[in-house]
């Protein structure tokens, strides 16, 4: 599907071997609904238990209704009409998950008994120009759902979330754009994105560590946004970290924007890993974020 690429060249240049794209009949709502209903069932929750729904996506499909309220609609029992918890979208591109966790953390600081559903959902494949070597082999589709609870919630979590730090550097779309118009395609100036991403991810990771009185070297594992294996390698090299301290699963996932970090966390938790994880992300806009999660 990528004219001009030699066999093995994509893996060498990006670190990506396979990635998932939506199938015919699927869309961003069906992907999100499956992820949400899975995590709610796992935690024996329903829509009535939720205090807030935050959805982060760069491809919501419509501006109004928001993707958050459309996902909320899939959870409403048939024939029932009532007011439910607030629901809203965040668009922070690949940094969206950490932006959403920051909003969730702030909400729970005033509502410690709250239960928040954080959803990431990205359908990028229809916007990919298959003739563009800088984008066509990279992007995938995914949706994730995370339950975030406060200190007074009866639900006991698998990890402690520290308050993320977020930032933006203001970019007008001449370097990286995911268009709303489906007749257009994703544009990215790869070299410029590479330089900005490496610098911003290292800076925001250091900032969240400093705010919490620790050193980057104290982290048990670093989970960066899975943009490109070359970016992940550059972060590891500049931080002078040993092999195995920076997590990567991009080979089998591709770049799923705001979904990459929660997908990594799911895999890490399945491995029964414990310890303090540093999260860091960079996305279009240019947005960036750093976070800490302690797996318990």
């Amino acid at each position: 599907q990528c004219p001009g690429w030699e066999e093995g060249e994509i893996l060498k240049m990006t670190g990506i071997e396979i990635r998932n794209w939506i199938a015919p009949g699927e869309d961003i709502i069906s992907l999100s609904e499956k992820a949400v209903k899975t995590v709610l069932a796992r935690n024996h929750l329903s829509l009535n238990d939720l205090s807030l729904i935050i959805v982060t996506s760069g491809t919501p499909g419509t501006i109004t209704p928001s993707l958050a309220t459309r996902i909320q609609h899939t959870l409403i029992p048939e024939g029932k009409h009532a007011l439910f918890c607030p629901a809203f979208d965040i668009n922070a591109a690949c940094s969206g998950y950490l932006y959403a966790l920051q909003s969730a953390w702030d909400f729970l600081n005033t509502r410690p008994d709250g239960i928040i559903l954080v959803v990431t959902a990205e359908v990028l494949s229809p916007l990919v120009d298959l003739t563009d070597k800088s984008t066509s082999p990279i992007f995938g589709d995914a949706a994730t759902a995370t339950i975030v609870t406060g200190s007074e919630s009866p639900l006991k979590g698998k990890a402690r979330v520290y308050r993320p730090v977020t930032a933006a550097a203001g970019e007008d779309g001449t370097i990286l754009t995911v268009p709303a118009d489906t007749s257009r395609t994703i544009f990215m100036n790869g070299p410029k994105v590479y330089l900005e991403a490496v610098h911003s991810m290292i800076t925001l990771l250091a900032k969240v560590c400093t705010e919490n009185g620790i050193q980057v070297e104290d982290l048990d594992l670093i989970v960066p946004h899975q943009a490109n294996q070359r970016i992940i390698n550059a972060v590891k090299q500049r931080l002078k970290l040993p092999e195995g301290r920076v997590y990567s699963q991009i080979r089998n996932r591709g770049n799923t924007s705001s979904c990459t970090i929660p997908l990594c966390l799911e895999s890490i938790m399945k491995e029964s890993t414990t310890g303090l994880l540093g999260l860091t992300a960079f996305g279009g806009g240019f947005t960036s974020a750093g976070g800490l999660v302690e797996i318990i």
Side-chain angles (χ1 to χ4, degrees):
Q1 291 187 345
C2 300
W5 287 98
E6 298 292 334
E7 185 177 356
E9 190 180 1
I10 293 173
L11 179 60
K12 179 181 178 181
M13 296 299 294
T14 68
I16 300 168
E17 187 170 32
I18 60 174
R19 69 255 169 93
N20 290 330
W21 280 5
I22 58 168
E26 291 182 318
D27 59 21
I28 199 164
I29 293 294
S30 64
L31 289 184
S32 302
E33 182 181 7
K34 182 177 180 181
V36 167
K37 289 186 174 179
T38 297
V39 79
L40 291 180
R42 186 183 299 159
N43 290 280
H44 309 290
L45 296 171
S46 70
L47 174 59
N48 289 324
D49 297 311
L50 300 178
S51 309
L52 175 64
I53 299 172
I54 305 174
V55 177
T56 173
S57 177
T59 57
T62 62
I63 304 302
T64 301
S66 69
L67 182 55
T69 58
R70 286 152 56 214
I71 292 172
Q72 185 184 51
H73 177 74
T74 69
L75 304 176
I76 299 174
E78 188 174 353
K80 186 171 183 180
H81 179 74
L83 292 174
F84 297 98
C85 67
F88 63 85
D89 291 358
I90 290 176
N91 181 355
C94 304
S95 306
Y97 186 64
L98 293 180
Y99 267 66
L101 287 184
Q102 185 189 71
S103 295
W105 199 98
D106 290 344
F107 181 94
L108 292 170
N109 194 45
T110 57
R111 284 279 305 278
D113 60 339
I115 299 174
I116 298 178
L117 173 66
V118 172
V119 180
T120 69
E122 308 285 359
V123 175
L124 295 158
S125 60
L127 301 172
V128 170
D129 177 2
L130 295 178
T131 67
D132 180 6
K133 294 181 68 172
S134 66
T135 60
S136 62
I138 294 174
F139 295 102
D141 304 328
T144 76
T146 304
I147 298 296
V148 187
T149 62
S151 58
E152 296 179 13
S153 168
L155 284 177
K156 300 303 177 186
K158 296 181 179 179
R160 176 191 175 195
V161 178
Y162 294 68
R163 187 180 189 274
V165 296
T166 56
E171 199 270 314
D172 64 0
T174 56
I175 298 176
L176 175 57
T177 300
V178 177
D181 182 354
T182 55
S183 67
R184 298 172 57 210
T185 56
I186 295 170
F187 170 79
M188 180 172 67
N189 183 321
K192 288 187 177 181
V193 168
Y194 173 90
L195 293 173
E196 291 283 348
V198 174
H199 170 75
S200 297
M201 289 167 72
I202 290 172
T203 299
L204 269 292
L205 180 64
K207 185 173 181 181
V208 74
C209 287
T210 299
E211 288 193 2
N212 288 279
I214 65 171
Q215 302 293 319
V216 172
E217 296 76 16
D218 297 330
L219 298 171
D220 296 298
L221 188 65
I222 293 171
V223 183
H225 164 54
Q226 310 283 291
N228 180 307
Q229 188 61 48
R230 296 174 71 189
I231 291 175
I232 295 171
N233 290 344
V235 169
K236 179 180 70 175
Q237 291 164 4
R238 295 194 188 186
L239 291 175
K240 300 180 180 179
L241 295 171
E243 200 67 35
R245 290 281 296 281
V246 178
Y247 191 83
S248 174
Q249 59 175 209
I250 194 171
R251 182 169 185 151
N252 298 318
R253 297 278 196 183
N255 180 346
T256 55
S257 191
S258 65
C259 298
T260 70
I261 289 178
L263 286 172
C264 288
L265 291 177
E266 181 186 40
S267 299
I268 291 166
M269 289 181 179
K270 284 181 178 178
E271 296 166 4
S272 301
T273 302
T274 59
L276 187 61
L277 278 55
L279 316 177
T280 186
F282 168 86
F286 291 126
T287 65
S288 51
L292 298 174
V293 169
E294 185 177 6
I295 308 293
I296 52 180

